[in-house]
């Protein structure tokens, strides 16, 4: 197997590294300390295609491979892990809508998500169903041409500051086969956002609970077919786990880079001090 990067992949890495160094790294500490969600910088990332790396070209995405996307996320995470992690979630949402959305959904949100003009959140985890996502309790009951959404989601990245939610809800019986996925306007009537969670880190992306009370969602905003939601959610997470692992690699590499730079700086200072001491000892002490 050839592990050398192609010319295109080297160019992707160079572009992402420059963005990380110029737009992310100088502000990362402030964003974390002040809990700032850098929407303007995320939209700048969108101008370079970083909001739709593997979304299809039909919605304005770059249509890259998962490997190409990983190379880019690794470099971006070296500038700000937290912000890059949110970008991976937004990419997942954009891809899910583009691949499984109806023509109405794609027309309404596809291109705006791809460019970063609108931002997305992924809503799967609930207070009583985290790792066992097939047991989720949020419901979507048919009401004419709509579904009525009721329930809650927790630990949702970007919640309260994003525009589109991909929500997994139960439309059928128990288990995975009863789960469906929906694209939901984040500002719909009946949606309430909880307080911003206090975290030890990753504060450049807000994390909140979302409560749905009789939120009316048009049937045209169903992703795939009824009962496809769990499969769609897992397909999203399959790529999402690669993305977050890549962020971890980039962060670890940058930690090594920073430690090495500090060590060399300290070594240079120590050498300069020793030289200074040797030079000063040649002079008489009065």
């Amino acid at each position: 197997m050839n592990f050398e990067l192609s010319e295109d992949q080297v160019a992707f890495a160079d572009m992402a590294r420059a963005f990380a160094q110029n737009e992310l790294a100088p502000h990362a500490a402030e964003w974390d300390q002040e809990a700032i969600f850098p929407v303007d910088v995320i939209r700048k990332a969108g101008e370079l295609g970083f909001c739709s790396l593997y979304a299809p070209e039909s919605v304005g995405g770059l249509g890259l491979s998962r490997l190409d996307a990983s190379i880019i996320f690794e470099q971006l995470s070296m500038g700000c892990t937290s912000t890059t992690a949110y970008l991976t979630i937004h990419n997942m949402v954009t891809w899910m809508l583009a691949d499984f959305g109806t023509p109405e959904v794609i027309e309404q949100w596809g291109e705006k998500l791809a460019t970063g003009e609108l931002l997305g959140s992924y809503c799967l985890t609930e207070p009583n169903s985290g790792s066992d996502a097939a047991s989720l309790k949020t419901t979507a009951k048919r009401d004419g041409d709509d579904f009525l959404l009721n329930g809650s989601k927790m630990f949702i990245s970007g919640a309260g500051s994003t525009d589109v939610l991909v929500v997994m809800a139960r439309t059928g019986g128990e288990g995975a086969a009863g789960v469906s996925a929906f694209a939901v306007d984040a500002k719909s009537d009946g949606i309430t956002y909880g307080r911003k969670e206090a975290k030890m880190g990753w504060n450049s992306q807000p994390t909140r609970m979302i409560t749905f009370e009789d939120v009316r969602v048009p049937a045209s905003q169903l992703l795939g077919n009824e009962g496809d939601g769990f499969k769609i959610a897992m397909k999203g997470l399959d790529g999402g786990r690669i993305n977050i692992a890549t962020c971890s690699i980039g962060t670890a590499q940058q930690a090594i880079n920073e430690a090495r730079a500090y060590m060399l700086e300290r070594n240079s200072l120590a050498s300069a001090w020793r030289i200074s001491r040797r030079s000063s000892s040649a002079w008489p002490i009065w």
Side-chain angles (χ1 to χ4, degrees), residues 138-154:
T138 297
T139 61
K141 295 184 178 180
R142 193 73 185 234
D143 184 40
D145 292 332
D146 301 328
F147 286 87
L148 290 180
L149 194 60
N150 285 279
S152 61
K153 301 291 182 178
M154 68 185 303

Side-chain angles (χ1 to χ4, degrees), residues 71-257:
I71 290 167
I72 291 170
F73 288 139
E74 179 183 4
Q75 294 299 323
L76 292 177
S77 66
M78 294 168 75
C80 181
T81 311
S82 172
T83 303
T84 303
Y86 171 73
L87 278 170
T88 71
I89 294 168
H90 177 83
N91 269 266
M92 180 170 62
V93 168
T94 303
W95 170 77
M96 292 172 78
L97 262 69
D99 262 34
F100 301 104
T102 61
E104 293 89 341
V105 163
I106 293 172
E107 182 179 358
Q108 183 175 359
W109 288 312
E111 187 174 335
K112 291 181 179 179
L113 286 169
T115 61
E117 179 182 346
L118 297 181
L119 301 179
S121 290
Y122 177 84
C123 307
L124 176 63
T125 302
E126 296 184 359
N128 295 309
S129 64
S131 56
D132 183 16
S135 67
L136 61 81
K137 301 301 182 185
T138 297
T139 61
K141 295 184 178 180
R142 193 73 185 234
D143 184 40
D145 292 332
D146 301 328
F147 286 87
L148 290 180
L149 194 60
N150 285 279
S152 61
K153 301 291 182 178
M154 68 185 303
F155 304 139
I156 305 304
S157 296
S161 300
T162 53
D163 307 286
V164 183
L165 310 175
V166 169
V167 181
M168 269 52 73
R170 188 165 300 285
T171 54
E174 295 298 315
V179 178
S180 298
F182 298 87
V184 181
D185 187 328
K187 298 173 179 59
S188 298
D189 292 339
I191 295 180
T192 305
Y193 295 96
R195 63 174 178 81
K196 186 187 294 185
E197 298 287 349
K199 299 177 292 185
M200 293 178 67
W202 287 43
N203 289 308
S204 75
Q205 51 165 291
T207 305
R208 291 185 172 90
M209 176 179 279
I210 308 178
T211 301
F212 304 92
E213 295 184 23
D214 288 333
V215 177
R216 191 166 289 276
V217 181
S220 62
Q221 291 173 205
L222 177 70
L223 302 181
N225 299 312
E226 282 193 46
D228 286 347
F230 186 80
K231 296 176 184 177
I232 292 172
M234 293 302 105
K235 285 182 178 179
L237 288 181
D238 285 345
R241 286 165 180 147
I242 295 172
N243 294 343
I244 205 65
T246 302
C247 288
S248 300
I249 292 171
T251 303
Q253 180 61 58
Q254 188 61 18
I256 293 173
N257 295 346

